[in-house]
Every structure is written in C-alpha cells, then in structure tokens.
Amino acid sequence: WMASGVMALLGLGDEWLPGVTHGITLALIPLLVWCLRRLFSGMVPGMGACRALCFACAVASTPLMGWWLLAARSDVGALLLESLAFLLLLSYTHRPALKKLVGVVLLCWAAWSFRQISVHVIGALCLYVLFARQHRTWLWIVVATFGFFAITIMLLGPGYRSNIFQANMAWPFS
C-alpha cells in the first residue's frame, strides 16, 4: 500500500515498483535504528547511547531481518512500527492514558498491515491489561484490533484475502 501511494504521487509506472519498494525499505532503516536505540538505551541499565546505537545497527542489519540490503522486505516496516508501539506501551505502563492506548493499537495495526505475523506487542498489551485486571480495557483493545483487521481484510479485496487465507506455499527443508 505504501509503494502504490508513492508511485501514484510521483506518477510512476509499474516498472518502477522494485525500485520504489527497495527505496522505501532503505528509507525505513534509519528510523528503525533510531527507535531500537531508544528502546535499548532505556531498557538496559548502564547501556550508553553509543553501545545502544551499535546494538541497534547490528539488529537492523542482521540476516534475520530478511536481507533488506538485497531485497524489498516488509519486515523492516513491521519491526519499526512494532518498536514504536512498544515504546508507547512502555510509556503507557508508567502513565496510563487513553491516547497512548489508542496509539499502541493503531501502531500495532499498521505493523500487522506490513506483516500479518507482527502481533507481539498487541499480545503483550493484552496480557498487561489482563494481569492488571483492566477487563474493559482488554475488551476494547481486542474489539478495536480485530475490527481494524477485519476492515483491512474487507477493503483490500479478494486478491488480498486469497493471499492471506489461501496461499499454499511449501518450503522443503531437504
């Protein structure tokens, strides 16, 4: 959805799709490194800004991130949005506010839109509010999250639904 928006804005044809998607992936990397540096420096006692930056660069450039240097990957956008949601979740745990809660849910939905397996932070938020015995808040989070998922699935059409629910890929390991 992001690439098609950029291509429409710039008036580019389909032949530009690989370049645009790779450019978006590369443009998200500095934001991801910044966000991870904030997370690491705030969560690990004694980790200075320089060490946190080095660790963030290592995490963002590892092959486990999907070889973003060689291909356009949705992993980068999903990790960036989930990391931002996690930063906001940490802020919410110190000072609960409805705006922060809505922000976490929206960021998690956006991360899910990049990669449907990106549900870790929303799961952590659900567990947090359940353990805090905030049942109404938990219900609101679950209804809002699944509502956003359903709206996305319905709006993006039959091709998207087929790709999510009926894709049959076999990856042999031998």
Side-chain angles (χ1 to χ4, degrees):
W1 58 267
M2 189 181 285
S4 60
V6 169
M7 291 172 56
L9 182 69
L10 299 176
L12 302 174
D14 288 344
E15 67 275 4
W16 286 91
L17 184 62
V20 169
T21 55
H22 194 70
I24 289 171
T25 302
L26 291 175
L28 292 176
I29 292 296
L31 295 171
L32 175 62
V33 169
W34 171 83
C35 187
L36 291 174
R37 184 198 61 80
R38 294 251 346 236
L39 272 172
F40 297 144
S41 63
M43 290 175 46
V44 181
M47 181 177 277
C50 184
R51 272 199 257 168
L53 178 63
C54 291
F55 194 57
C57 288
V59 168
S61 63
T62 178
L64 295 175
M65 269 302 297
W67 293 102
W68 56 265
L69 287 171
L70 304 175
R73 299 288 304 203
S74 60
D75 307 64
V76 177
L79 181 61
L80 170 64
L81 290 165
E82 272 208 312
S83 299
L84 289 170
F86 191 63
L87 277 172
L88 200 54
L89 174 60
L90 291 175
S91 173
Y92 175 79
T93 60
H94 294 297
R95 287 197 184 130
L98 182 61
K99 282 193 256 182
K100 292 177 185 178
L101 194 62
V102 171
V104 171
V105 170
L106 288 174
L107 285 168
C108 288
W109 165 68
W112 177 86
S113 74
F114 271 89
R115 192 142 168 90
Q116 284 71 41
I117 198 168
S118 296
V119 293
H120 307 95
V121 175
I122 200 72
L125 176 61
C126 285
L127 287 175
Y128 174 78
V129 297
L130 271 178
F131 288 140
R133 299 182 189 271
Q134 300 173 5
H135 298 103
R136 285 189 188 133
T137 304
W138 177 83
L139 183 62
W140 180 87
I141 292 166
V142 170
V143 168
T145 299
F146 281 103
F148 283 135
F149 291 175
I151 289 169
T152 303
I153 289 168
M154 296 315 256
L155 287 179
L156 292 179
Y160 184 77
R161 285 190 294 276
S162 173
N163 188 29
I164 288 182
F165 296 120
Q166 299 168 346
N168 188 7
M169 296 179 108
W171 294 96
F173 291 104
S174 58

